[in-house]
Amino acid sequence: MSVERNTMLLARLPLFQVFNEQQLRLIAFGAETITLKSNELLFRLGEPADCAFLILDGAVELSVESDRGLVPQDVARSGVLMGGLALINSVDRPAQGVALVSTTLLRLRRSLIQRVFQEYPDSAARLHESMSNSLQAFMKDLQRAEQLLTALDD
């Protein structure tokens, strides 16, 4: 994949809209393209995550733990960013990811994003503001849902 195409794909993702084109090019250039065969493991449930994956082509089945063991919960396809939170914080994988078919992904390491934030602190500030706004909107939605449920109980 070309740096230009990967730059365009990253620009479409909400998490990356805080970066300008030059910064996105740096991220795309520093990212690693990997290819998995069908049924190949991408990551295990509960393992530490130091990167996110953008699916360029293919599909990854995401499975979670249940009383019956690992159970498929979702399928991520082309254009989906998996593990975006791992780019800004230490987290564990909430699911296991296995390629359903031959799948090409862009691996985006946290260390790469941190370097870009160090070089361009204004982008880090914009991401903080964006995430704060999203969290506040989510909290308002939760409060509204709580009010509606309370009204139904009365």
Side-chain angles (χ1 to χ4, degrees):
M1 297 286 158
S2 72
V3 170
E4 290 79 20
R5 179 173 185 252
N6 291 345
T7 300
M8 286 186 349
L9 292 171
L10 290 171
R12 294 179 187 161
L13 299 170
L15 182 65
F16 290 91
Q17 292 177 355
V18 300
F19 298 105
N20 65 35
E21 187 173 348
Q22 176 188 1
Q23 295 160 354
L24 287 171
R25 286 181 60 76
L26 287 170
I27 294 168
F29 183 77
E32 174 189 2
T33 302
I34 61 171
T35 302
L36 301 177
K37 297 175 186 163
S38 180
N39 295 316
E40 189 172 350
L41 179 70
L42 178 60
F43 48 78
R44 294 187 192 288
L45 170 71
E47 74 181 12
D50 69 343
C51 65
F53 296 97
L54 173 60
I55 302 176
L56 301 175
D57 186 45
V60 174
E61 181 177 75
L62 301 169
S63 299
V64 297
E65 188 71 42
S66 79
D67 55 353
R68 300 180 318 239
L70 284 177
V71 179
Q73 180 185 34
D74 199 4
V75 175
R77 301 188 187 281
S78 296
V80 170
L81 179 70
M82 297 180 297
L85 188 55
L87 294 175
I88 55 175
N89 197 20
S90 296
V91 295
D92 293 336
R93 300 279 179 204
Q96 176 169 290
V98 175
L100 283 177
V101 296
S102 178
T103 301
T104 305
L105 306 109
L106 198 60
R107 181 191 317 241
L108 303 155
R109 295 196 182 276
R110 181 184 317 127
S111 58
L112 172 64
I113 301 302
Q114 288 175 339
R115 278 197 318 260
V116 173
F117 282 151
Q118 288 172 349
E119 292 292 320
Y120 303 95
D122 57 310
S123 294
R126 284 194 304 273
L127 179 61
H128 181 270
E129 181 181 354
S130 173
M131 292 180 77
S132 178
N133 291 341
S134 293
L135 184 57
Q136 287 175 4
F138 177 69
M139 293 301 293
K140 285 180 184 177
D141 289 345
L142 282 178
Q143 289 171 345
R144 201 171 101 211
E146 181 183 35
Q147 291 169 351
L148 292 171
L149 289 172
T150 301
L152 288 175
D153 287 340
D154 292 340

